[in-house]
Amino acid sequence: MPTLKQLAVESLTHLVEGGQERLAVDDDARGILREWMLAARRGTQVVVPAPVPAPEPAVAPAAAPEMSVEQKLELLRTKAADWKAARRLGTLRETMVFAVGNPHARLMLVGEAPGYEEERQREPFVGPAGQLLTKILGAMGLKREEVYISNVCKFRPSMGGNQGTANRPPSPEELAACSPLIMAEIRAIQPACIVCLGGSSAKGLLGTQQGVNALRGQWLECQGVPVRVTYHPSYLLRNETLSARRALWEDMLCVMQKLGMPISEKQQNYFR
């Protein structure tokens, strides 16, 4: 039987995903509910001072009929296109870039935000970094269409004026605004493993302030799913040292092992 906290978090999540932005609660309840929601996103437990009855939601979440993964993602895509929390910031560009790949994939890769090429083609990881990611997947024995690829932030961060091809990482506020979308994607896909590509991805997905170097080499968790943090492919395009390439590949070998994929001697010895 679900706990009071689980029921409250589930109700709040449905409200957020439905576009609701305000809920009438007192200060004490607001603080507790915020901690519960953050913990649920990180997949961690929070101890509260004392049990407090959950407030009645302003609008009861509708009991949606059972939907397929594809239907859930299509609904999310529609909601993301007019996501009020992101639009309200005024710091993100207009074009929404959702996700691509196999909705039944065991491996989910999560980047930071779309760049120039991604915005132009409306598909994540299609620019130079995306082309490198496709090669990395190929070295793992995977095709791009076999995995699920998304971003924490669904809109290209704006730099104002004539931005051209210039890109920037999403801000904490932009990551937070889009966070409910990627969390809903994870619940829909239910992957066996997630790879965070880059520091902004890890911050948005795990609620951490630590960088890639501090998070690499360990298994973390988001909504009960094992998470591995590694460098964004664009980092390798800027830093072509053997050590950087070896570090990313070691992370991918750990992912392959977690997924029970065969690892050949050739794969084991890449970059050595």
Side-chain angles (χ1 to χ4, degrees):
M1 183 175 179
T3 65
L4 179 62
K5 183 174 81 171
Q6 289 170 331
L7 290 171
V9 168
E10 183 178 352
S11 295
L12 289 170
T13 299
H14 280 300
L15 290 173
V16 171
E17 291 174 4
Q20 185 160 335
E21 300 174 3
R22 297 181 182 277
L23 189 68
V25 295
D26 62 30
D27 290 340
D28 291 338
R30 184 182 300 111
I32 292 171
L33 290 172
R34 174 179 168 78
E35 288 299 317
W36 283 1
M37 287 292 288
L38 290 174
R41 290 177 182 177
R42 294 191 298 262
T44 57
Q45 298 293 322
V46 169
V47 178
V48 296
V52 176
E56 289 294 324
V59 179
E66 187 63 30
M67 294 189 293
S68 67
V69 177
E70 290 83 358
Q71 289 172 323
K72 290 177 182 177
L73 293 176
E74 189 56 38
L75 179 61
L76 275 173
R77 182 188 294 271
T78 301
K79 290 183 177 180
D82 190 33
W83 192 246
K84 292 179 175 59
R87 299 293 189 191
R88 189 172 60 246
L89 291 175
T91 59
L92 296 169
R93 291 169 62 92
E94 289 296 314
T95 302
M96 190 275 294
V97 180
F98 191 65
V100 69
N102 179 9
H104 302 281
R106 300 182 65 230
L107 175 59
M108 181 175 182
L109 300 110
V110 181
E112 302 175 347
Y116 170 76
E117 280 297 333
E118 287 74 20
E119 181 183 62
R120 189 174 70 85
Q121 299 186 43
R122 298 196 175 198
E123 184 175 319
F125 284 94
V126 292
Q131 294 166 20
L132 179 55
L133 177 60
T134 300
K135 292 179 180 178
I136 293 169
L137 290 171
M140 297 170 69
L142 294 169
K143 296 179 181 178
R144 183 180 171 93
E145 57 267 25
E146 292 179 307
V147 302
Y148 187 86
I149 304 174
S150 191
N151 281 310
V152 173
C153 185
K154 303 302 184 189
F155 303 84
R156 183 182 174 203
S158 174
M159 299 176 71
N162 184 17
Q163 186 168 342
T165 60
N167 300 310
R168 68 166 174 84
S171 69
E173 293 77 18
E174 291 162 349
L175 291 172
C178 290
S179 175
L181 294 170
I182 191 66
M183 295 301 171
E185 279 181 89
I186 294 171
R187 288 195 297 276
I189 300 294
Q190 296 183 5
C193 180
I194 297 172
V195 174
C196 277
L197 298 167
S200 294
S201 172
K203 290 174 183 177
L205 209 65
L206 303 172
T208 181
Q209 294 304 311
Q210 294 182 295
V212 174
N213 288 330
L215 297 171
R216 276 194 64 248
Q218 56 186 312
W219 284 106
L220 304 166
E221 188 177 284
C222 178
Q223 299 191 133
V225 180
V227 176
R228 199 78 175 190
V229 176
T230 192
Y231 297 115
H232 195 283
S234 62
Y235 175 78
L236 297 189
L237 295 177
R238 301 191 304 269
N239 183 354
E240 297 184 356
T241 62
L242 183 63
S243 60
R245 292 174 177 268
R246 182 187 295 122
L248 184 144
W249 184 245
E250 287 173 351
D251 292 329
M252 292 307 185
L253 286 177
C254 290
V255 170
M256 292 174 68
Q257 186 177 34
K258 174 70 78 174
L259 293 173
M261 297 173 59
I263 301 175
S264 68
E265 185 176 350
K266 180 180 179 181
Q267 289 171 319
Q268 190 71 49
N269 292 318
Y270 279 166
F271 305 113
R272 288 187 179 178

